[in-house]
Amino acid sequence: EVQLVESGGGLVQPGGSLRLSCAASGFTFSDHYMDWVRQAPGKGLEWVGRIRNKAKSYTTEYAASVKGRFTISRDDSKNSLYLQMNSLKTEDTAVYYCNKASRGADGLDYWGQGTLVTVSS
Amino acid sequence: QSVLTQPPSASGTPGQRVTMSCSGSSSNIGSNNVYWYQQLPGTAPKLLIYGNNQRPSGVPDRFSGSKSDTSASLAISGLRSEDEADYYCAAWDDSPSGRVFGGGTKVTVL
């Protein structure tokens, strides 16, 4: 059974930093691209970015709204995905979901339960 | 403003058929597969349809998806109270490169 468990959310002041983690199990983590998606309170889904697998040199892509501030990384030896968030803004307040991309990488087939990040003074 | 356009709401009585649309462009729906997700209140989204019209195991055949050119649609037949949820369409966008979502359609069972 595929499981994705996020952690690391919490309250942070504007301009601060936070690192989210996602522990994956139930599939061959190293084979798959992984994404982060967020959802602001009462709002829709917004893609944050993705990291490809080793075969694609762990390259990353980001949404324009977070590019230059957020960094996605992974540790295949620990079956873990990370999201380093710097220079946080109040508009980054959201539930952050860790996602497994499908084999063709054109969609997301599993979601974690999410972790809430609140940016407020 | 979402890249993919969905109606904000849809409704029906138990047993009815409800459909919802998802409109995009040549760089997203027109070039790539459409995915649909169901988000029940207070929970994470769940995959409902992949590859435009394929259902993962465990998803009832009451749910069906279709795609034509730059638009897609999701249909729920035999509507049930447990189908009350938000439904999101998604696709990869080639330009600019990134995953895009619709704003979501809230389905209410009357």
Side-chain angles (χ1 to χ4, degrees):
Chain A
E1 178 195 4
V2 172
Q3 284 199 319
L4 300 168
V5 180
E6 302 93 337
S7 61
L11 175 64
V12 60
Q13 291 189 334
S17 298
L18 205 60
R19 188 196 196 208
L20 305 183
S21 299
C22 171
S25 61
F27 65 102
T28 306
F29 180 77
S30 58
D31 283 351
H32 290 267
Y33 296 11
M34 297 293 293
D35 287 44
W36 288 97
V37 173
R38 68 183 181 183
Q39 185 171 34
K43 301 297 183 182
L45 302 172
E46 180 189 17
W47 181 71
V48 172
R50 76 171 179 182
I51 184 166
R52 296 181 177 86
N53 55 17
K54 182 178 181 181
K56 294 295 185 181
S57 304
Y58 300 124
T59 51
T60 54
E61 290 179 279
Y62 299 94
S65 57
V66 306
K67 195 170 186 178
R69 299 188 299 123
F70 289 13
T71 301
I72 298 174
S73 60
R74 63 192 293 165
D75 186 338
D76 290 348
S77 69
K78 296 181 178 179
N79 286 351
S80 293
L81 177 71
Y82 306 101
L83 179 64
Q84 177 66 44
M85 303 184 292
N86 299 331
S87 303
L88 282 162
K89 307 174 181 179
T90 55
E91 53 263 42
D92 294 319
T93 294
V95 173
Y96 284 74
Y97 294 104
C98 164
N99 305 91
K100 169 184 168 294
S102 60
R103 186 154 294 280
D106 61 351
L108 306 173
D109 53 11
Y110 287 92
W111 296 65
Q113 86 288 351
T115 187
L116 176 62
V117 172
T118 303
V119 184
S120 174
S121 55
Chain B
Q1 194 81 356
S2 302
V3 173
L4 305 181
T5 301
Q6 296 183 251
S9 64
S11 62
T13 57
Q16 273 191 329
R17 175 183 168 90
V18 169
T19 62
M20 64 200 80
S21 60
C22 175
S23 178
S25 68
S26 58
S27 64
N28 43 64
I29 293 179
S31 305
N32 297 293
N33 287 324
V34 176
Y35 282 65
W36 289 90
Y37 302 96
Q38 178 193 57
Q39 186 174 33
L40 297 169
T43 70
K46 183 190 91 168
L47 178 63
L48 199 62
I49 297 287
Y50 68 95
N52 305 319
N53 55 18
Q54 303 298 304
R55 281 177 288 103
S57 61
V59 172
D61 58 7
R62 303 185 294 104
F63 294 92
S64 61
S66 64
K67 182 182 111 169
S68 178
D69 295 327
T70 59
S71 292
S73 64
L74 175 71
I76 309 173
S77 59
L79 192 66
R80 303 176 68 157
S81 58
E82 57 259 41
D83 298 333
E84 202 161 85
D86 293 322
Y87 293 84
Y88 294 92
C89 60
W92 185 260
D93 202 317
D94 294 329
S95 179
S97 185
R99 203 173 303 284
V100 292
F101 290 92
T105 297
K106 184 177 185 63
V107 168
T108 301
V109 181
L110 301 170

